Amino acid sequence: MALLLAVAAAPVPSLAAERAQTPSPDARCQVWARELSFAQSVLDHDAAAFAAHLHPQAAFGVSGKPTLGRAAIAEEWAGIIDGSALSLDWYPSVVTIGGDGETAYSSGPALYQDPKTGAARLGRFGSVWQRGGDGSWYVIFDDGIRPEPADAAAVQAFRQGRRADCPPA
């Protein structure tokens, strides 16, 4: 009987609490814009802007031997950010907000070009974003699929696929 009374007295999640966990409709578009801004930081060769998108404890290359932490990632990416090692461009094609409204996944195509030869390869990236206490979104996990050689038509299709606007869900 005491167990029955304890169960009956236990708090029941309210509909209001459940709704509070429903992501805001614009969160997906916030992450979309943040992903585009992240990619633009590399195109602009802006190391400070790149680092500002990273969660302090971010992990990159998570399917292999990951690089951990904002400073280590920024150092590892220095040749990509300054364009000396690689020209890298990407954009989201998918953004999904987790049920907690504080976590998101983005994915899309990535174009890798050799700065010396211009040879192009296409791959895909996948990033997990976390909303910080300041309301901004930060990359906490990032990885990609090994790029494959791409011809001029594939590069053109990549460039034509970019959307600056967040598409409807």
Side-chain angles (χ1 to χ4, degrees):
M1 185 66 145
L3 179 61
L4 182 59
L5 289 174
V7 169
V12 177
S14 70
L15 188 54
E18 192 173 307
R19 281 191 193 127
Q21 292 183 350
T22 302
S24 70
D26 62 354
R28 193 176 63 78
C29 290
Q30 290 170 1
V31 174
W32 186 279
R34 188 77 166 148
E35 186 73 68
L36 288 174
S37 172
F38 188 38
Q40 192 63 47
S41 73
V42 173
L43 292 174
D44 291 343
H45 309 295
D46 188 338
F50 175 84
H53 287 82
L54 302 175
H55 187 282
Q57 286 81 42
F60 272 41
V62 296
S63 64
K65 185 174 187 246
T67 302
L68 304 174
R70 179 185 286 151
I73 293 165
E75 181 179 329
E76 182 178 82
W77 276 60
I80 297 170
I81 297 166
D82 71 18
S84 64
L86 179 69
S87 174
L88 177 60
D89 189 10
W90 73 90
Y91 54 83
S93 59
V94 172
V95 172
T96 302
I97 303 298
D100 66 355
E102 304 298 314
T103 309
Y105 173 76
S106 62
S107 179
L111 175 64
Y112 304 74
Q113 288 190 286
D114 184 312
K116 295 176 183 80
T117 67
R121 297 175 294 141
L122 282 171
R124 289 193 67 81
F125 74 90
S127 299
V128 175
W129 294 80
Q130 189 174 64
R131 189 189 322 255
D134 64 357
S136 294
W137 291 90
Y138 298 93
V139 179
I140 189 144
F141 295 108
D142 186 80
D143 210 346
I145 296 173
R146 182 179 304 256
E148 298 292 330
D151 61 16
V155 171
Q156 181 178 5
F158 167 85
R159 296 201 192 289
Q160 290 174 337
R162 178 182 302 275
R163 290 185 65 141
D165 61 319
C166 177

